[in-house]
Amino acid sequence: MQRNKITRRTVLQALTAAAGVTSLSENGTAANEKGNAQLKTAAREPNASEMTTDTVLWYRRPASGWLEALPIGNGRLGAMIFGGIAQEKLQLNEGTLWAGGPHDYTSPEGLQALPEIRRLVFAGEWGKAQNLVNAHFLGRPGSQTPYQTVGNLTLTNMGGENASDYRRDLDLDSATARVSYTRDGVRYTREAFVSAVDQVMVLRLTADQPGKIGFRLAFDSPQRTTVATEGTNTLVMKGIGGEAHGSPDAVKFQAVARVLPEGGSVQADQSAITVNGANTATVLVSIGTSYRDYQDTGGDEAAEAQRYLKAAEHKSYARLREAHVADYRKLFRRVSIRLGPEGRPREKDTVHSTDERVANYKDGDDPGLAALHFQYGRYLLISCSRPGGQPATLQGLWNDSVDPPWGSKYTININTEMNYWPAAPTNLMECYTPLFHMISDLAVAGRRTAKGLYGANGWVCHHNTDAWRGTAPVDGSFWGMWPSGGAWLCKSLWDHYVFTLDRTALKQSYPLLKGAVEFFLDALVEEPSHHWLVTCPSISPENGHHPDASICAGPTMDMQILRDLFDAATQASEVLGVDAEWRARVHTMRARLAPMQIGRQGQLQEWLEDWDAGAPEQNHRHVSHLYGLFPSSQITKIGTPDLFAAARKSLETRGDPATGWSLAWKINLWARLQDGDRAHKLLADLLTPEHTAPNLFDLHPPFQIDGNFGAVSGVTEMMLQSHAGEIHLLPALPTAWPDGAVTGLRARGAFTVDVAWQAGKLTHASIVSHSDAPCTVRLGDKVLKFSTVAGKRYVLDAGMRHPPS
């Protein structure tokens, strides 16, 4: 979101300014723990310069638990800041600290069992087929390893709990957390950030009177660790991740904290450092692991940690912060958003803290919270998925456990893909990089699984993967016997191209697309009734078509994903001018895929057979067969009106209540159905305490970050769509947002788009072309087509007219 300075500009100024010039607040603030019952504070109200409600989360008291703490990160290092008074806690993560070690999960018995599994599926003996998968086809072991926490860095002995004028906040525009309060007439401030430039976490403690900074610094961890001091100002924690499911521990780590005080004294005992009487103090935290890649854990964790620390300690705090903020803003400031009238924010937005706004959110009557949540999602993606790091897990980068829910892994039957839905449309293409590197790894690991389980060429990955790039089915046949996870991941490779038209990137992605297609060219089988080509065995994630039976052949989602995969690969081969014969073969195979079908209820069928009405869970959280509506573009209002109506019928049958990430998916689906009020109703359901924590983390429950990212995508889809061969302005604008503006969104065809509206009507839009591609723009029933020149901006008025350029 833009800050107040931007929202006070005229709409035309906002639209005609180049994307990325948004000027936002520098009012960052942190977070922490310690009993709210013991805390005696008089919360400080924000002053006028702090009323930047679209980019600041703020709170009146320290965090009492992890879901109130505030996240910071640089894609590799992460921390949750609790913001305590007498004690501060920073819970730490490093993206490569996983349990277990390199492992191939592929069962040696799978290929021999495959023919009988397929026979049983086609015979309708689903229970027997699932039992056979569990016995012989499932991964060895049948569960993958979890992502784990490093531990905690704590500051204690900082004085009593009594304080006044307390405030902690997270400034999304500078990616900085801050806590401030007054105690005994002294104003104390702590500021924290994680630098992607210098690869360290930085914590700065200051007071408005000299000699008032004092604390005891210590590490602790649920891992097997040792802690020692080096010299008087350095604290070192060495440890190793846990074993998991018979996979021995392999990832060693080292966390180093170095204290750089100004004035006062520093003392070290065996396991802690104490600072007394300092004017200010800076704490640098560096973490290294022995993880090199999914096949190699032989790295030097100590050398890595020390290398970053030694480089950073010679830079001033101001220099570290300046580099961090400048690097981060290159990404974050590309997009601004305002949902509501121009001028000062509403009283609710400034008087109520963020947790109070979530607690009071009803019927979507706080559009500023929706705008804040949108920018928070972009902040989280930047903070947990940067080049050089790992992709965003189920919890992004932030996890305080050695055994987190669902292992905090990569669930690729929806959740990982949803994490990256905002990357292209909200102008964060760089955040794709870790995901693309993982797909490259899976393409290697998945070749073993393709050959070992299916006797097929190419590569495959099922419904889940981990740091060791497991590609075999896991977690039981009911949930895990799904061979299309890798194929769905490939959609992001093609999305990157259609949003950028970057041929160089496409050339790098093409072998991954081709390899995924080659697997299905070999693994598809002919179903007996219509002789369509289908996947078998498979499931419609994670839904049963009969009691205790999910396994099937050719579920609708698989066929939709394969059409997208085959189209992406063949179009890529055309763009690159390669593999013409192979392309023709893929076209032929695509034509034989089972089509989408409309069932007797008028619904889009989820399976080959019309089982929907009798399926055990009519309100199931997964809406897999609606992939064709979103994130795909196979179902559109103009292009496929019958399927469009059938998709709506299916979504109505599923109902609105859902888990966090499922609500987020439904927001996108209703936006694609061009029903902005229904999409907004589900966004309002999401932004309530049942599904949104005080720190705005999405609750499945428990915490999963995919709902944060899915909601960002959904809000984007309300304001701008580009999947149907045209840029559609305000396709699903809800009546709850009569006025607003958004700048810097990306559209397919390599365009950047700004839009502003008043009283529910377009006032202005501008489109910057990044290629020489022609442009088609839709507003309601009006359609405008024009040629473009790369680098030029085209401004449209309310009547969809644009002046000569």
Side-chain angles (χ1 to χ4, degrees):
M1 319 300 169
Q2 46 200 122
R3 71 162 180 172
N4 271 345
K5 184 175 180 181
I6 272 284
T7 60
R8 290 169 184 163
R9 293 177 181 173
T10 66
V11 172
L12 183 57
Q13 285 175 319
L15 285 168
T16 56
V21 300
T22 309
S23 178
L24 302 172
S25 164
E26 289 255 357
N27 253 330
T29 309
N32 181 339
E33 202 167 51
K34 200 62 180 173
N36 286 347
Q38 299 176 352
L39 180 64
K40 299 177 182 177
T41 65
R44 181 172 60 85
E45 300 296 346
N47 59 44
S49 67
E50 293 168 337
M51 291 193 295
T52 54
T53 58
D54 47 9
T55 56
V56 176
L57 287 68
W58 72 275
Y59 303 84
R60 303 177 187 274
R61 57 187 62 84
S64 63
W66 196 81
L67 289 174
E68 294 182 7
L70 295 173
I72 56 175
N74 68 354
R76 185 181 70 87
L77 301 179
M80 296 292 287
I81 314 296
F82 286 71
I85 296 174
Q87 172 180 311
E88 174 65 286
K89 175 180 174 182
L90 297 82
Q91 183 266 313
L92 305 174
N93 287 106
E94 203 280 349
T96 60
L97 181 54
W98 288 68
H103 183 75
D104 178 9
Y105 294 86
T106 306
S107 169
E109 304 168 7
L111 183 58
Q112 185 176 355
L114 181 61
E116 178 62 6
I117 294 169
R118 284 174 167 164
R119 187 193 72 77
L120 291 168
V121 170
F122 285 126
E125 298 186 61
W126 308 299
K128 291 182 179 178
Q130 288 180 179
N131 290 339
L132 198 57
V133 169
N134 285 331
H136 300 289
F137 208 78
L138 208 63
R140 304 294 173 85
S143 298
Q144 293 172 349
T145 66
Y147 173 54
Q148 298 189 317
T149 182
V150 170
N152 306 302
L153 182 67
T154 58
L155 288 78
T156 57
N157 299 344
M158 294 195 297
E161 288 287 346
N162 292 338
S164 62
D165 298 331
Y166 179 92
R167 176 182 166 99
R168 66 183 174 101
D169 63 53
L170 176 64
D171 178 15
L172 305 182
D173 182 53
S174 63
T176 305
R178 177 184 292 181
V179 59
S180 59
Y181 53 86
T182 299
R183 186 179 58 218
D184 298 329
V186 180
R187 188 72 183 163
Y188 293 90
T189 302
R190 294 194 298 273
E191 192 172 67
F193 59 87
V194 186
S195 171
V197 177
D198 291 290
Q199 289 296 311
V200 292
M201 189 186 78
V202 183
L203 175 66
R204 176 78 161 178
L205 299 91
T206 61
D208 66 358
Q209 295 182 24
K212 297 297 183 179
I213 299 298
F215 56 88
R216 184 178 187 271
L217 189 72
F219 278 122
D220 67 87
S221 177
Q223 307 278 17
R224 289 173 294 145
T225 60
T226 60
V227 180
T229 54
E230 293 181 357
T232 59
N233 71 335
T234 302
L235 190 62
V236 179
M237 180 169 67
K238 302 177 182 179
I240 189 168
E243 68 86 30
H245 313 299
S247 179
D249 46 28
V251 183
K252 295 178 287 184
F253 66 91
Q254 185 170 125
V256 184
R258 184 159 296 165
V259 183
L260 305 173
E262 297 177 19
S265 63
V266 183
Q267 296 177 326
D269 57 32
Q270 289 184 339
S271 59
I273 293 172
T274 301
V275 174
N276 287 305
N279 301 325
T280 66
T282 301
V283 181
L284 303 179
V285 181
S286 180
I287 306 174
T289 80
S290 63
Y291 182 99
R292 286 176 172 158
D293 59 43
Y294 74 101
Q295 302 175 94
D296 184 355
T297 59
D300 188 334
E301 69 282 1
E304 180 182 28
Q306 291 291 341
R307 174 166 58 92
Y308 295 132
L309 188 65
K310 288 178 180 177
E313 69 175 335
H314 297 295
K315 299 180 181 180
S316 68
Y317 174 78
R319 184 179 171 192
L320 290 168
R321 190 183 190 281
E322 181 181 9
H324 154 71
V325 171
D327 170 75
Y328 167 79
R329 283 179 175 165
K330 289 177 183 177
L331 299 175
F332 183 77
R333 284 190 169 183
R334 290 173 183 168
V335 170
S336 70
I337 186 172
R338 173 176 56 79
L339 301 177
E342 293 184 282
R344 292 178 63 83
R346 298 187 310 166
E347 181 180 354
K348 165 183 296 193
D349 300 352
T350 58
V351 172
H352 293 289
S353 59
T354 303
D355 52 331
E356 292 167 348
R357 293 172 74 181
V358 172
N360 295 331
Y361 198 80
K362 295 178 182 178
D363 304 321
D365 61 350
D366 184 357
L369 182 61
L372 177 65
H373 189 263
F374 174 92
Q375 286 289 49
Y376 182 62
R378 294 184 66 247
Y379 162 84
L380 292 174
L381 187 57
I382 297 168
S383 300
C384 75
S385 187
R386 297 288 295 270
Q390 296 293 302
T393 73
L394 282 174
Q395 296 183 200
L397 184 60
W398 302 278
N399 160 39
D400 66 340
S401 174
V402 294
D403 187 22
W406 301 285
S408 190
K409 301 189 296 293
Y410 304 106
T411 303
I412 58 174
N413 65 12
I414 173 62
N415 311 94
T416 300
E417 289 86 354
M418 184 180 285
N419 285 355
Y420 287 90
W421 286 353
T426 71
N427 222 330
L428 297 175
M429 301 295 178
E430 295 89 340
C431 294
Y432 270 134
T433 303
L435 179 68
F436 291 174
H437 285 169
M438 184 174 78
I439 296 172
S440 297
D441 292 345
L442 293 173
V444 177
R447 286 187 178 274
R448 296 193 299 266
T449 301
K451 191 65 70 176
L453 293 184
Y454 298 91
N457 293 307
W459 66 275
V460 65
C461 188
H462 292 77
H463 97 294
N464 220 94
T465 191
D466 58 7
W468 316 113
R469 306 314 189 227
T471 53
V474 292
D475 297 342
S477 58
F478 189 94
W479 302 275
M481 189 53 259
W482 188 62
S484 301
W488 190 352
L489 287 176
C490 284
K491 186 179 188 306
S492 62
L493 301 171
W494 183 245
D495 283 345
H496 184 278
Y497 175 72
V498 296
F499 275 91
T500 65
L501 302 185
D502 184 340
R503 286 172 53 93
T504 300
L506 182 64
K507 188 174 182 179
Q508 295 172 343
S509 299
Y510 178 65
L512 306 178
L513 294 168
K514 184 177 180 181
V517 171
E518 286 176 335
F519 167 76
F520 289 100
L521 295 182
D522 288 351
L524 290 172
V525 295
E526 188 178 273
E527 58 85 32
S529 297
H530 302 89
H531 308 293
W532 293 323
L533 292 178
V534 297
T535 50
C536 184
S538 189
I539 63 172
S540 185
E542 300 167 4
N543 198 10
H545 48 79
H546 287 80
D548 301 318
S550 65
I551 201 165
C552 64
T556 297
M557 184 190 221
D558 280 8
M559 300 298 98
Q560 294 168 334
I561 288 174
L562 292 191
R563 277 190 286 274
D564 274 354
L565 175 66
F566 286 14
D567 288 348
T570 54
Q571 290 176 52
S573 75
E574 281 192 80
V575 170
L576 299 174
V578 297
D579 295 328
E581 279 187 36
W582 180 83
R583 185 191 324 143
R585 182 189 174 205
V586 176
H587 279 307
T588 300
M589 294 284 279
R590 185 199 187 281
R592 296 188 61 197
L593 295 174
M596 288 182 276
Q597 302 175 81
I598 298 174
R600 62 183 180 274
Q601 296 177 303
Q603 90 287 2
L604 185 68
Q605 285 184 201
E606 187 163 357
W607 296 277
L608 281 180
E609 304 297 327
D610 193 358
W611 290 329
D612 299 60
E617 293 188 67
Q618 292 295 303
N619 299 320
H620 197 273
R621 62 195 176 277
H622 283 259
V623 284
S624 303
H625 57 307
L626 300 186
Y627 167 96
L629 177 64
F630 184 92
S632 182
S633 58
Q634 295 173 42
I635 300 173
T636 63
K637 184 176 182 178
I638 296 175
T640 58
D642 292 343
L643 292 174
F644 190 81
R648 184 183 184 100
K649 176 64 176 179
S650 289
L651 193 55
E652 290 172 340
T653 300
R654 271 296 198 266
D656 291 347
T659 59
W661 63 262
S662 182
L663 278 172
W665 194 351
K666 290 177 181 179
I667 294 167
N668 288 272
L669 290 166
W670 281 110
R672 282 287 174 93
L673 290 170
Q674 299 179 24
D675 191 334
D677 285 341
R678 190 69 171 266
H680 181 265
K681 188 264 182 188
L682 293 178
L683 179 64
D685 291 347
L686 185 72
L687 291 177
T688 51
E690 181 183 1
H691 296 297
T692 296
N695 66 359
L696 299 190
F697 272 169
D698 174 74
L699 302 178
H700 177 29
F703 165 51
Q704 279 189 195
I705 205 167
D706 39 27
N708 287 100
F709 296 136
V712 174
S713 173
V715 170
T716 305
E717 290 288 321
M718 293 186 211
M719 297 181 290
L720 180 73
Q721 295 177 16
S722 61
H723 61 286
E726 57 191 19
I727 296 174
H728 194 168
L729 304 176
L730 306 179
L733 184 67
T735 54
W737 301 342
D739 304 321
V742 62
T743 67
L745 298 181
R746 292 297 294 259
R748 293 165 181 85
F751 300 103
T752 299
V753 183
D754 303 343
V755 187
W757 64 95
Q758 290 181 352
K761 303 294 184 181
L762 178 75
T763 57
H764 294 84
S766 76
I767 299 170
V768 176
S769 175
H770 301 286
S771 72
D772 296 325
C775 185
T776 301
V777 184
R778 173 178 294 274
L779 177 69
D781 294 330
K782 293 182 179 179
V783 177
L784 174 67
K785 299 182 179 181
F786 54 95
S787 300
T788 73
V789 176
K792 280 202 170 185
R793 178 182 297 270
Y794 302 85
V795 178
L796 312 180
D797 64 15
M800 285 273 284
R801 297 175 294 270
H802 72 97
S805 300

